[in-house]
Amino acid sequence: MNTIGKRLTLTTAGESHGPALVGILDGFPSQVRIDMEAVQHELDRRHPVAPGTTARREPDRVQVLSGIFEGVTTGAPIALLINNVDAHPGDYDALRDVYRPGHADYTYAAKYGVRDHRGGGRASARETALRVAAGAFALQALEQRGIHISAYTSCIGSINRPVDHPVDMTDIYSRPMRSADADTDAAMAQLVSQIAADGDSIGGIVSGRISGLCAGVGEPVYDKFQAMLASAMMSINAAKGFDYGTGFEGVDRPGSQIAAVTGGICGGITDGGDITFRVAFKPVATMMRPLECRKADGSTVTITPGGRHDACIVPRAVAVVRAMAAITTLDALLLK
Amino acid sequence: MNTIGKRLTLTTAGESHGPALVGILDGFPSQVRIDMEAVQHELDRRHPVAPGTTARREPDRVQVLSGIFEGVTTGAPIALLINNVDAHPGDYDALRDVYRPGHADYTYAAKYGVRDHRGGGRASARETALRVAAGAFALQALEQRGIHISAYTSCIGSINRPVDHPVDMTDIYSRPMRSADADTDAAMAQLVSQIAADGDSIGGIVSGRISGLCAGVGEPVYDKFQAMLASAMMSINAAKGFDYGTGFEGVDRPGSQIAAVTGGICGGITDGGDITFRVAFKPVATMMRPLECRKADGSTVTITPGGRHDACIVPRAVAVVRAMAAITTLDALLLK
Amino acid sequence: MNTIGKRLTLTTAGESHGPALVGILDGFPSQVRIDMEAVQHELDRRHPVAPGTTARREPDRVQVLSGIFEGVTTGAPIALLINNVDAHPGDYDALRDVYRPGHADYTYAAKYGVRDHRGGGRASARETALRVAAGAFALQALEQRGIHISAYTSCIGSINRPVDHPVDMTDIYSRPMRSADADTDAAMAQLVSQIAADGDSIGGIVSGRISGLCAGVGEPVYDKFQAMLASAMMSINAAKGFDYGTGFEGVDRPGSQIAAVTGGICGGITDGGDITFRVAFKPVATMMRPLECRKADGSTVTITPGGRHDACIVPRAVAVVRAMAAITTLDALLLK
Amino acid sequence: MNTIGKRLTLTTAGESHGPALVGILDGFPSQVRIDMEAVQHELDRRHPVAPGTTARREPDRVQVLSGIFEGVTTGAPIALLINNVDAHPGDYDALRDVYRPGHADYTYAAKYGVRDHRGGGRASARETALRVAAGAFALQALEQRGIHISAYTSCIGSINRPVDHPVDMTDIYSRPMRSADADTDAAMAQLVSQIAADGDSIGGIVSGRISGLCAGVGEPVYDKFQAMLASAMMSINAAKGFDYGTGFEGVDRPGSQIAAVTGGICGGITDGGDITFRVAFKPVATMMRPLECRKADGSTVTITPGGRHDACIVPRAVAVVRAMAAITTLDALLLK
């Protein structure tokens, strides 16, 4: 449903064009001093000033309504509120009975018999603002334990990060595409500009790393660390794939070369090494082109999308991937 | 821990060289007529007679101790028992204090402070026999509802199924590598024979398909159908990656070409189309070569593996992937 | 933690004297038309104008921030917000390091190492306002299915409802003590007035009834309907006991007289009859008397309670018992 | 469904007259040395040689199939198997389509559309043998941490333990009724003998105590320690009520007398004091008298019970209450 986690849980509510997003982060450890400016800063990072990203400019101010007393967590659930100040529900009236291909319009109607069609309603990626806010809390708790999580854009379309370049995370949030070096970032930005000019869209890959996590975290059979991580990543909008360690690219390399490469996990349990993983994102389904759609009554209609749409959501997804990795890691650590 | 599922749950217990494997399948619908020969048959399929597969030849007879009355499920939990008749715990005495690289030896010790070192103990893939048995029940319930699940080896090492060949599932279990056509199967078998002769190991990819599932199954935000499926697949021993629909291979194709390719799921909810997915497996870590290992006391030792080991576990994983897809699909369907 | 329920879940956050209470009701069925005035009305009922009840007069206006579209539930989570407009956190400065006997002061400190001491913080019964609001949604969904839930004060101190009087629920919310008839209500009110005048407190019993629920609801072994109901009731502040059907009073009556009295449940599963149950409440621990308390540093101090305190919380608990019964019943029904 | 617990879970399967009972205890701490004779001894205690108890004399030998290595728990799930050597499924042929009043016959049929009618099938109290076996593991883990759990029969019918008598647990398992002193035990035994001679049945109360548990265990709002305990107790066959501390009997005593009596729990969290609780049991529904029953086809039939039936199950329930208290306490402790 709308909760993720076992010992640390995040429950979210709120539609894209409703009055607000509401999240409750429960099971968070007590006595953690929280830097609220850093939480807000993390939330701001979800809005890269990149070519082909959305024109929506919510200030996205997060309010904390509980669980913190005199700057320190109390162990009580942390309630997060983000008001939707830039909601324009009327923009979507033409889509009320329309099922756009590649969107969740039809599937929500099939499941619930009713839907809030405004801007994707509950299916919108706007929900991920709460994930980033909650993840910012988890990041602080982890950093206080010496655990660091990073994520960056490693691929957009056919442009991959050169394997022999070192990853440089220091300036990642100053680079529009959230790539690991300035040259790759520029090439990716150029590609996306062109895609946007064509009214088209493009996908890519976000790569992540968890460092400093001790051995012994994760469950051995069904809640393996990689299974929890995969589930968290595949719950992100537009995610189509997850792998870790040698992943899909290791299938054609013999065991004598890579068997000892664990990706930081063995038998579902961390071994103290860095955990490296990737998440693949599809091109978004809404493009600035006429789109033939089914309607609820079986007829078809051609829609020319208005509203606000990204040509490439991958740079925006970087903060979400990092947040979900943080929530999952802290949850697994608390389960230990 | 050792349970998977929400409304339909499978809980397993049992070590590789203990007396037996025990599973409890709970939440299974009542009034489903079960063909026990088909269950046993499915379990037999986990033992391909393929080059490079293990010499262990458990008969793997499954006993059902509850939940079925006069051939029909009662809604009560189904207890499954598979005796380990071919256990040789003494084979592993030399490994008592040894942490083999790429194995779960060290991580179990780090987590629990104690471990059953015999044949991998709880970390062994032997546990998947229960998954296949439980999955056989789920497959029957699904088939009675018109839902079919298939899986086959689509890649081993550098040998991929030709994209333009039709997938032919009719004879898959007669082909040693569980590939989609006889020619590819022969090429894969030849590769694995050579790898085994080198004392090496190799990985690959299993592809799966869920057909006939209605629209509206899956949860919209955190228990998205693809998230449940990813978690189930990543819980399989040696799995390193999961994707669905256009997956990792779709990242360099523009939205105008593939945005309407849903992979059977939109916004986490099924849309009535076929769900296609892939699972990547690494080469197994135990090779027939001398292996330098750490010991619990910090010293190192060189081990030459005895016991029974596969050069490629991908053909064996096909039945496990299919079983986990069946369990996940039935669970999601019951949640609806 | 802070979530109750399996298929229908309520997660709450918020402290007694923090800025707001926040709840998320998830898994609620779609296409239920909600009368928001009735929700607010139910919330108002939690404030009986009874002798010995608190002077706090929150307007307790509930805002719904998601999950409802054009008056109808969408299946998305329902976010509830109640602002604490009457919070006086400064009233509690003297209690910062004090552990009052019979309160959760010491236990929170022992569990979390830190606590929000203001008005009981998270331990305050103020949290039950969210239960009543969420329960009001459940009551409407149940009533639309022909299921009705009632609750009333059956005992305060030594004053019990006469067994041979008929229960009259029509005017219950106009009676200050929420009793089943006017005479008993007057007697209870007189007792509580006297107790309040003495600066003392008194407990009692709330009796409940679930009518119109079909047979076949509840799980057979560990999530028996009565176990879910007991857990929900025992989670209410000051609840000390739960029974159903013949309960504690049936232990001295032979089976030949009462074995067929099921209380509406057999083997954990409803049988279609009315479910009758009772919840015992203790006298509240805060009395208007000097109270000797331990302090965090081991010293003792005598506190004379200020702030706002009930001499008897039973009338106020009636709406909470009814709400928790509604949430539990709808959850069990959705699990079916 | 058929699992109880959060961090420590017990999942059970098996029908009264099927081949075996199967349980999986998961999440049990590693490195606990287990005395298997003590486990078996605890299981034997579920069979008091008391007047009015059943003639079924299963040896009830428990086999442990996993999770223990060289006498010590490994953290892997513990599989328990108890064969039903004394099953007589044919004894129950006459009951195939009969719904006995006060039994779960009709409710199972309503829920599942099919049932195993033999000896109550899954609804039989025979399932509690697994609870006692699993509880024996939990008792050992608790005792190694200085936590002790006791339970005894405090009431049968109108015979209550005299309040001023000391509770003497040393010989409890040598007393047929499991009472706290020899005189009360004799009086209870005489009552039950007479009830049995009349072909009738009688209920009673089991009282329990948890000693040595540290402060800070239990969750503050919805998984309060008392809520977990209530749920566990109300899941026992024939249980009709639960209370703790001053419970139902404290409702007529003013706060000035009892407000500081916490029953070991404040705000849902343990305070380090002893936790005292009671569980009420109804008289069993099967009496040695002709019984008018409905049949599936709507007709009625008069049944004279054969088979094996207790006139009073309270002495037998003592070991089950103690086991469930142990499982719940260890679970809550592991959640801390």
Side-chain angles (χ1 to χ4, degrees):
Chain A
M1 306 206 286
N2 295 280
T3 298
I4 193 166
K6 295 175 189 301
R7 193 73 187 115
L8 176 74
T9 59
L10 173 63
T11 303
T12 69
E15 284 85 38
S16 179
H17 289 262
L21 300 175
V22 178
I24 298 179
L25 183 64
D26 194 14
F28 199 84
S30 64
Q31 306 191 67
V32 177
R33 184 158 294 280
I34 295 297
D35 176 348
M36 277 308 300
E37 282 189 29
V39 172
Q40 183 61 49
H41 187 50
E42 197 62 33
L43 201 52
D44 296 342
R45 287 171 164 174
R46 197 174 142 270
H47 293 291
V49 186
T53 53
T54 188
R56 181 169 181 166
R57 283 288 168 266
E58 292 279 341
D60 273 351
R61 303 298 307 178
V62 62
Q63 298 175 57
V64 177
L65 300 178
S66 66
I68 296 193
F69 181 58
E70 301 178 345
V72 170
T73 58
T74 62
I78 299 166
L80 305 168
L81 181 74
I82 301 176
N83 285 308
N84 282 336
V85 298
D86 191 26
H88 297 138
D91 283 6
Y92 297 90
D93 285 350
L95 297 178
R96 175 179 283 268
D97 299 312
V98 173
Y99 301 150
R100 293 163 298 164
H103 288 76
D105 301 338
Y106 168 64
T107 57
Y108 268 61
K111 184 175 179 71
Y112 296 116
V114 62
R115 72 188 172 96
D116 178 347
H117 66 279
R118 302 167 302 173
R122 182 70 184 145
S124 164
R126 177 134 185 79
E127 186 266 351
T128 61
L130 285 170
R131 304 187 186 207
V132 172
F137 281 78
L139 283 167
Q140 293 191 30
L142 291 171
E143 277 160 19
Q144 292 174 24
R145 287 163 167 82
I147 301 163
H148 302 281
I149 294 179
S150 59
Y152 64 95
T153 303
S154 57
C155 165
I156 288 184
S158 56
I159 301 176
N160 286 277
R161 187 182 71 81
V163 175
D164 52 348
H165 277 210
V167 171
D168 170 18
M169 296 301 296
T170 49
D171 291 324
I172 182 176
Y173 289 107
S174 70
R175 291 181 212 118
M177 307 308 291
R178 311 301 198 217
S179 184
D181 63 85
D183 290 351
T184 308
D185 211 79
M188 288 174 172
Q190 189 177 2
L191 171 64
V192 173
S193 295
Q194 187 182 322
I195 290 278
D198 291 351
D200 209 334
S201 64
I202 193 75
I205 297 175
V206 174
S207 290
R209 177 179 297 268
I210 303 166
S211 303
L213 185 57
C214 58
V217 177
E219 297 293 324
V221 176
Y222 290 116
D223 294 320
K224 287 185 161 86
F225 192 88
Q226 66 268 40
M228 290 175 66
L229 203 54
S231 176
M233 296 304 158
M234 294 305 294
S235 77
I236 302 174
N237 308 52
K240 300 297 273 189
F242 166 88
D243 65 5
Y244 83 101
T246 54
F248 275 95
E249 303 198 336
V251 297
D252 64 352
R253 295 171 62 193
S256 53
Q257 287 177 28
I258 63 165
V261 179
T262 63
I265 310 169
C266 256
I269 303 170
T270 58
D271 64 9
D274 280 11
I275 297 160
T276 55
F277 63 92
R278 302 187 307 160
V279 188
F281 291 91
K282 68 171 183 179
V284 288
T286 304
M287 289 155 285
M288 293 304 181
R289 297 175 170 207
L291 198 63
E292 191 177 357
C293 303
R294 271 187 306 151
K295 297 192 68 173
D297 62 8
S299 64
T300 59
V301 63
T302 298
I303 295 288
T304 304
R308 300 165 291 210
H309 305 286
D310 290 345
C312 181
I313 51 79
V314 179
R316 177 187 290 275
V318 167
V320 183
V321 166
R322 189 170 176 237
M324 294 310 288
I327 292 169
T328 304
T329 301
L330 184 56
D331 188 20
L333 194 64
L334 294 173
L335 278 169
K336 199 190 168 184
Chain B
M1 306 205 287
N2 295 279
T3 297
I4 193 165
K6 296 175 188 299
R7 193 73 187 114
L8 176 73
T9 59
L10 174 64
T11 303
T12 70
E15 285 86 37
S16 179
H17 288 262
L21 301 173
V22 177
I24 298 179
L25 183 65
D26 195 13
F28 199 86
S30 64
Q31 306 193 66
V32 177
R33 184 158 294 279
I34 296 297
D35 176 348
M36 277 307 301
E37 282 189 31
V39 171
Q40 184 60 49
H41 187 50
E42 197 63 33
L43 202 51
D44 297 341
R45 286 172 165 175
R46 198 173 141 270
H47 293 291
V49 187
T53 53
T54 187
R56 182 167 182 168
R57 281 290 168 265
E58 294 277 343
D60 274 353
R61 303 299 306 179
V62 62
Q63 297 175 58
V64 176
L65 299 178
S66 67
I68 296 193
F69 180 58
E70 301 179 345
V72 170
T73 58
T74 62
I78 298 166
L80 304 169
L81 181 74
I82 301 176
N83 284 309
N84 283 337
V85 298
D86 192 24
H88 297 140
D91 284 6
Y92 299 90
D93 285 350
L95 297 177
R96 176 179 283 267
D97 298 314
V98 173
Y99 301 151
R100 294 163 296 164
H103 288 77
D105 300 339
Y106 168 64
T107 55
Y108 268 62
K111 184 176 179 72
Y112 296 116
V114 62
R115 72 187 172 97
D116 179 347
H117 66 278
R118 302 167 303 173
R122 183 71 185 144
S124 164
R126 177 132 186 79
E127 186 266 351
T128 60
L130 285 170
R131 305 187 187 207
V132 173
F137 281 80
L139 283 167
Q140 292 190 31
L142 291 170
E143 276 159 19
Q144 292 175 26
R145 286 164 167 81
I147 301 163
H148 302 281
I149 294 178
S150 59
Y152 64 94
T153 304
S154 58
C155 165
I156 287 183
S158 56
I159 301 177
N160 286 277
R161 188 182 71 81
V163 176
D164 53 347
H165 278 210
V167 171
D168 170 18
M169 296 301 296
T170 49
D171 290 324
I172 181 174
Y173 288 106
S174 70
R175 292 180 211 120
M177 307 309 291
R178 310 302 198 218
S179 184
D181 63 86
D183 290 351
T184 307
D185 210 78
M188 288 173 171
Q190 191 178 0
L191 171 64
V192 173
S193 296
Q194 186 183 322
I195 290 278
D198 292 351
D200 209 334
S201 64
I202 192 75
I205 297 174
V206 174
S207 291
R209 177 179 297 266
I210 302 165
S211 303
L213 185 58
C214 58
V217 177
E219 297 293 325
V221 177
Y222 291 115
D223 295 320
K224 286 185 162 88
F225 192 87
Q226 64 268 40
M228 291 174 66
L229 204 53
S231 176
M233 296 304 157
M234 294 305 294
S235 77
I236 301 174
N237 308 52
K240 300 297 273 189
F242 166 87
D243 66 5
Y244 84 101
T246 54
F248 275 94
E249 304 198 335
V251 297
D252 63 353
R253 295 170 62 194
S256 53
Q257 287 177 27
I258 62 165
V261 179
T262 64
I265 309 169
C266 255
I269 304 169
T270 59
D271 64 9
D274 281 10
I275 297 161
T276 56
F277 62 94
R278 302 186 309 160
V279 189
F281 291 91
K282 68 170 183 179
V284 288
T286 304
M287 289 156 285
M288 293 305 179
R289 299 175 168 205
L291 199 62
E292 191 177 355
C293 303
R294 270 186 308 149
K295 296 193 69 172
D297 61 10
S299 65
T300 59
V301 63
T302 299
I303 295 286
T304 304
R308 299 164 292 210
H309 304 287
D310 291 345
C312 180
I313 52 78
V314 179
R316 178 188 290 275
V318 168
V320 183
V321 166
R322 189 170 176 236
M324 295 310 289
I327 291 169
T328 304
T329 302
L330 185 55
D331 188 21
L333 195 63
L334 294 172
L335 279 169
K336 198 190 168 181
Chain C
M1 303 205 288
N2 295 279
T3 297
I4 193 166
K6 296 176 189 299
R7 194 71 187 117
L8 175 74
T9 59
L10 173 65
T11 303
T12 69
E15 285 86 38
S16 179
H17 289 261
L21 301 174
V22 177
I24 298 179
L25 183 64
D26 194 14
F28 198 85
S30 64
Q31 305 191 70
V32 177
R33 184 158 295 278
I34 296 296
D35 175 349
M36 277 307 299
E37 282 189 30
V39 171
Q40 184 60 49
H41 187 50
E42 197 62 33
L43 202 51
D44 296 342
R45 287 173 165 174
R46 197 174 142 269
H47 293 292
V49 187
T53 54
T54 187
R56 183 169 181 165
R57 282 287 167 267
E58 293 277 342
D60 275 350
R61 301 300 306 179
V62 61
Q63 297 176 57
V64 177
L65 299 178
S66 66
I68 295 194
F69 181 57
E70 301 179 342
V72 170
T73 59
T74 63
I78 299 166
L80 304 169
L81 180 74
I82 301 177
N83 284 309
N84 283 336
V85 297
D86 191 27
H88 298 137
D91 284 4
Y92 298 89
D93 285 349
L95 297 177
R96 175 178 284 267
D97 299 313
V98 173
Y99 301 151
R100 293 163 297 165
H103 288 78
D105 300 338
Y106 169 64
T107 56
Y108 268 63
K111 184 175 179 73
Y112 297 116
V114 63
R115 72 188 171 97
D116 179 348
H117 66 279
R118 302 167 302 174
R122 183 69 183 145
S124 164
R126 176 132 186 80
E127 186 265 353
T128 59
L130 285 169
R131 304 187 187 206
V132 173
F137 281 79
L139 283 167
Q140 293 191 30
L142 291 171
E143 277 160 18
Q144 292 174 25
R145 288 163 166 82
I147 301 163
H148 302 282
I149 294 179
S150 58
Y152 64 95
T153 303
S154 57
C155 164
I156 287 185
S158 55
I159 301 177
N160 287 276
R161 187 182 72 82
V163 175
D164 52 347
H165 277 210
V167 171
D168 170 18
M169 297 301 295
T170 49
D171 291 322
I172 182 175
Y173 288 106
S174 70
R175 289 180 214 120
M177 307 309 290
R178 310 305 197 212
S179 184
D181 63 86
D183 290 350
T184 307
D185 211 79
M188 289 175 171
Q190 189 178 1
L191 171 64
V192 173
S193 295
Q194 185 184 324
I195 290 278
D198 292 349
D200 208 334
S201 64
I202 193 74
I205 297 175
V206 174
S207 291
R209 177 179 297 266
I210 303 166
S211 304
L213 186 57
C214 58
V217 176
E219 297 293 324
V221 177
Y222 291 115
D223 295 322
K224 287 184 163 85
F225 193 88
Q226 66 267 40
M228 292 174 65
L229 204 53
S231 177
M233 295 305 155
M234 294 305 296
S235 77
I236 302 174
N237 308 52
K240 301 296 274 190
F242 166 87
D243 65 5
Y244 84 101
T246 54
F248 276 95
E249 304 199 335
V251 296
D252 62 354
R253 294 169 63 192
S256 53
Q257 287 177 27
I258 63 166
V261 179
T262 64
I265 310 168
C266 255
I269 304 169
T270 58
D271 64 9
D274 280 10
I275 297 162
T276 55
F277 63 93
R278 302 188 308 160
V279 188
F281 290 91
K282 68 170 183 180
V284 288
T286 303
M287 289 156 284
M288 292 305 181
R289 297 174 171 209
L291 199 62
E292 191 176 357
C293 304
R294 271 186 307 150
K295 297 191 68 171
D297 61 9
S299 64
T300 59
V301 63
T302 298
I303 295 287
T304 303
R308 299 166 290 212
H309 305 287
D310 290 346
C312 181
I313 53 76
V314 179
R316 177 188 289 276
V318 168
V320 183
V321 166
R322 188 169 177 235
M324 296 309 289
I327 292 169
T328 304
T329 301
L330 184 56
D331 188 19
L333 194 64
L334 293 172
L335 279 168
K336 200 191 167 183
Chain D
M1 303 203 290
N2 295 279
T3 298
I4 192 166
K6 296 176 188 301
R7 194 70 186 117
L8 174 74
T9 59
L10 172 64
T11 303
T12 69
E15 286 86 37
S16 178
H17 288 261
L21 301 175
V22 177
I24 298 179
L25 183 64
D26 194 14
F28 199 85
S30 65
Q31 306 191 70
V32 177
R33 185 158 294 278
I34 296 296
D35 176 349
M36 277 307 300
E37 282 188 32
V39 171
Q40 183 61 49
H41 188 50
E42 197 63 32
L43 203 51
D44 297 342
R45 287 174 165 173
R46 197 175 142 269
H47 293 292
V49 187
T53 55
T54 187
R56 182 168 181 166
R57 282 288 168 266
E58 294 277 342
D60 274 352
R61 302 300 307 179
V62 62
Q63 297 176 59
V64 176
L65 299 178
S66 66
I68 296 194
F69 181 57
E70 300 178 344
V72 170
T73 58
T74 62
I78 298 166
L80 304 169
L81 181 73
I82 301 176
N83 283 309
N84 283 336
V85 298
D86 190 25
H88 297 138
D91 284 5
Y92 298 90
D93 285 350
L95 297 177
R96 176 178 284 267
D97 299 313
V98 173
Y99 301 151
R100 293 164 296 165
H103 288 78
D105 300 339
Y106 168 64
T107 57
Y108 268 63
K111 184 175 178 73
Y112 296 116
V114 63
R115 72 186 172 98
D116 180 347
H117 66 279
R118 302 166 302 173
R122 183 69 184 146
S124 164
R126 177 133 186 79
E127 187 265 352
T128 61
L130 285 169
R131 304 187 187 206
V132 173
F137 281 79
L139 283 167
Q140 293 191 30
L142 292 171
E143 276 159 20
Q144 292 174 25
R145 286 163 167 83
I147 301 163
H148 301 282
I149 293 178
S150 59
Y152 65 95
T153 304
S154 57
C155 164
I156 287 185
S158 55
I159 301 178
N160 287 276
R161 187 181 73 80
V163 175
D164 52 348
H165 277 209
V167 171
D168 170 17
M169 297 301 296
T170 49
D171 291 323
I172 181 173
Y173 288 106
S174 69
R175 290 181 212 119
M177 307 309 291
R178 310 304 197 213
S179 185
D181 63 85
D183 291 349
T184 308
D185 211 77
M188 288 174 171
Q190 188 178 2
L191 171 65
V192 173
S193 295
Q194 186 182 325
I195 290 278
D198 292 350
D200 209 334
S201 64
I202 193 76
I205 297 174
V206 174
S207 291
R209 176 180 297 266
I210 303 166
S211 303
L213 186 58
C214 58
V217 176
E219 297 294 325
V221 176
Y222 291 115
D223 295 322
K224 288 185 162 85
F225 192 87
Q226 65 269 39
M228 292 175 65
L229 203 54
S231 177
M233 296 304 156
M234 294 306 294
S235 77
I236 302 174
N237 308 51
K240 300 297 273 189
F242 166 88
D243 65 7
Y244 84 101
T246 52
F248 276 95
E249 303 198 336
V251 297
D252 62 354
R253 294 171 62 193
S256 53
Q257 287 177 27
I258 63 166
V261 179
T262 64
I265 310 168
C266 255
I269 303 170
T270 58
D271 63 10
D274 281 10
I275 297 160
T276 55
F277 62 93
R278 302 187 307 159
V279 188
F281 290 91
K282 68 170 183 179
V284 287
T286 304
M287 290 156 282
M288 292 305 178
R289 298 175 170 205
L291 199 62
E292 191 176 356
C293 304
R294 270 186 308 151
K295 297 192 67 172
D297 62 9
S299 64
T300 59
V301 62
T302 298
I303 295 287
T304 303
R308 298 165 293 211
H309 305 287
D310 291 346
C312 180
I313 52 79
V314 179
R316 178 187 289 276
V318 168
V320 183
V321 165
R322 189 171 175 234
M324 295 309 290
I327 292 169
T328 303
T329 300
L330 184 55
D331 188 20
L333 194 63
L334 294 171
L335 278 169
K336 199 191 168 181

